[in-house]
Amino acid sequence: MRRVGLAMLIVLAACSRGAPPSEKRTATPATGLEAAAIQAGVIPDPADTDITGLYARDTDRVCIVPGATAYRIGVYVDYDEQQNCGGSGIATRVRDTVHVQMDAVEGCSFDARFEGDRLVFPGRVPDACQKVCSRRASLAALDVDRLSESVSEASTLRDGRGRLLCASGG
């Protein structure tokens, strides 16, 4: 059994060399084990996956629904009743980058990373983003997995005060 695992690792490593520079895509292509996993269907290809859906990890939630010209995004980070973040905004996508601009918070915009069924916020967000948070809560380093691709489910996400964070359709 150990030999089979080692043989698979060698095969996957050999596949990671990739195409010559002239044949590579302009998008950030998956490499190595990630590319092999995408090709085998083990993980989704972020380039071919829509970002619409409801994402969560523990008590943190993100909703993304299509709008008229861009996506609507809602974020709720819940540390406890006194420490949380909640807000809505606009999201636009280019390949594996999701640009987030929070509504009514000038200067709160940043690029998140989309990994197929996972959304990862940067480790540092602009100080202006603290306006959607209370006390020591933060949007920084938020890391959530997709629970559903349903617009109707994503549209039901509410913050701690009961406000809908993603208005469906527009």
Side-chain angles (χ1 to χ4, degrees):
M1 188 62 129
R2 198 178 259 165
R3 288 182 187 173
V4 172
L6 181 58
M8 277 300 287
L9 184 59
I10 291 169
V11 168
L12 290 174
C15 292
S16 70
R17 290 188 188 138
S22 62
E23 294 178 32
K24 290 188 177 181
R25 299 183 315 182
T26 57
T28 307
T31 59
L33 292 175
E34 182 182 10
I38 289 170
Q39 184 175 6
V42 175
I43 61 173
D45 184 351
D48 295 335
T49 306
D50 186 32
I51 62 174
T52 298
L54 179 63
Y55 299 76
R57 178 162 296 155
D58 297 325
T59 57
D60 302 335
R61 304 278 185 266
V62 173
C63 58
I64 302 177
V65 298
T69 59
Y71 291 93
R72 293 291 302 157
I73 186 168
V75 180
Y76 184 58
V77 176
D78 184 16
Y79 292 179
D80 61 36
E81 289 182 18
Q82 279 101 29
Q83 298 185 77
N84 55 61
C85 302
S88 299
I90 301 291
T92 54
R93 177 183 177 194
V94 176
R95 297 184 207 106
D96 60 352
T97 300
V98 177
H99 182 73
V100 177
Q101 170 63 57
M102 299 304 289
D103 291 341
V105 182
E106 189 174 329
C108 182
S109 66
F110 54 88
D111 290 335
R113 193 173 68 249
F114 178 65
E115 299 176 349
D117 278 331
R118 182 172 170 221
L119 188 64
V120 182
F121 284 23
R124 296 190 74 188
V125 295
D127 292 340
C129 295
Q130 193 58 35
K131 293 177 183 173
V132 299
C133 299
S134 61
R135 298 192 183 195
R136 295 177 56 185
S138 174
L139 298 178
L142 178 65
D143 184 342
V144 289
D145 298 306
R146 186 178 352 224
L147 298 178
S148 169
E149 294 179 9
S150 167
V151 172
S152 60
E153 285 186 80
S155 297
T156 64
L157 181 64
R158 296 177 184 268
D159 67 9
R161 297 180 187 169
R163 296 178 296 196
L164 286 171
L165 295 176
C166 282
S168 65

